[in-house]
Amino acid sequence: MNKIILMALLLLPLTSLAAAPCSGKKSGISHCDGSQFVCNDGSVSKSVKDCSSYISGDQKQSKPNSSSASSYSAPIAQSNTEITRSGNILKLDYPGFTVWLDCSKHGAIKFQYVAQHDNGNAKRYDKFFLDQNVPAECQQTTANAYGQGYDRSHQVPANHLDASDEAIKATNTMTNILPQAADMNRGAWLQTEEIIECYRRLSKSALFRKLNIPRFLAFNIIEKSFAFLAYGIGDA
């Protein structure tokens, strides 16, 4: 009888381990697909637990690797993301901007948005998150800070979409974020954003409209160049 009790106690840790979604070689949970767990290796866990309840509950997600930062940001669904796929390229239409994602690079290769007249003051969202609607193999594995002298750099600037709470929050989706040297992100890249912000504030002036300053901004990350299409600053 004592041997049976001892054997049962020894098996308890194994039972608990097997019940953990995406454990072992699956490298932890990437995101939820409905009630199912999608693991970091791209597979779907056979766990009978409900993924959404598991993520929002007190239990913590398994982390992709031991070198990740101590705080892990759980993916948050962008329910209004419109996705168009062509081979390895995903076109992601978010509120107010568009990002083209290369699945082979797990990151953005191009983005575009309309620099409207500055008439908003929505607050910048303070958390970063993955897009639950984007396949795990096409995006980054975590929303954690990069460290090692690199910032989480916005491609489409948050402040340029401050007319909408929904849009400014969407800019913190990791599909709109790439690692960038901190000096660059807080220097030349920031200054570029501030120049566009000045144009947004001037866009109502008669002189500005007469000059027909372009409003449509597209940036090709691979070519590292802005492309301006002369439509004039929008008055919306």
Side-chain angles (χ1 to χ4, degrees):
M1 183 64 179
N2 290 337
K3 290 183 178 180
I4 294 174
I5 294 174
L6 178 61
M7 183 64 69
L9 290 174
L10 290 173
L11 288 175
L12 280 176
L14 296 177
T15 303
S16 175
L17 179 61
C22 297
S23 58
K25 294 182 178 180
K26 294 183 180 293
S27 303
I29 302 166
S30 170
H31 62 280
C32 296
D33 182 6
S35 62
Q36 294 182 310
F37 296 86
V38 179
C39 307
N40 281 309
D41 66 352
S43 65
V44 176
S45 172
K46 295 181 180 179
S47 174
V48 297
K49 296 181 179 180
D50 181 89
C51 183
S52 299
S53 299
Y54 186 89
I55 296 300
S56 61
D58 294 333
Q59 302 180 72
K60 296 181 180 179
Q61 285 193 23
S62 301
K63 298 179 183 178
N65 54 63
S66 58
S67 62
S68 298
S70 58
S71 60
Y72 185 78
S73 300
I76 300 176
Q78 289 292 324
S79 59
N80 50 2
T81 310
E82 295 183 12
I83 303 177
T84 305
R85 182 160 194 161
S86 177
N88 277 335
I89 307 300
L90 297 183
K91 179 186 177 187
L92 310 177
D93 288 310
Y94 292 103
F97 67 98
T98 301
V99 173
W100 283 262
L101 202 66
D102 188 334
C103 292
S104 67
K105 294 179 173 60
H106 309 286
I109 58 171
K110 186 169 69 172
F111 64 84
Q112 71 178 33
Y113 66 104
V114 175
Q116 299 281 10
H117 173 69
D118 188 5
N119 58 2
N121 59 1
K123 300 299 182 183
R124 177 170 167 172
Y125 199 62
D126 62 356
K127 294 180 180 179
F128 294 84
F129 44 87
L130 302 177
D131 190 330
Q132 205 168 305
N133 295 319
V134 174
E137 67 271 15
C138 293
Q139 62 178 319
Q140 302 177 55
T141 58
T142 177
N144 291 342
Y146 298 117
Q148 304 299 317
Y150 288 90
D151 285 349
R152 288 175 292 196
S153 176
H154 287 79
Q155 306 312 296
V156 176
N159 191 53
H160 293 180
L161 299 180
D162 61 359
S164 164
D165 289 326
E166 183 182 27
I168 197 171
K169 178 179 179 180
T171 63
N172 274 28
T173 312
M174 291 302 290
T175 50
N176 184 49
I177 303 296
L178 286 175
Q180 184 163 223
D183 289 344
M184 173 69 175
N185 189 50
R186 305 171 196 183
W189 194 256
L190 175 61
Q191 290 169 15
T192 301
E193 294 179 2
E194 291 173 343
I195 290 171
I196 298 171
E197 186 69 7
C198 287
Y199 284 154
R200 293 178 65 224
R201 293 174 182 175
L202 290 169
S203 67
K204 286 289 186 181
S205 71
L207 175 62
F208 197 78
R209 291 197 299 271
K210 185 176 180 180
L211 291 175
N212 196 30
I213 302 297
R215 72 165 185 170
F216 186 81
L217 305 175
F219 186 72
N220 190 317
I221 297 169
I222 300 301
E223 296 179 0
K224 297 182 175 61
S225 61
F226 274 105
F228 295 92
L229 304 180
Y231 287 114
I233 284 286
D235 292 330

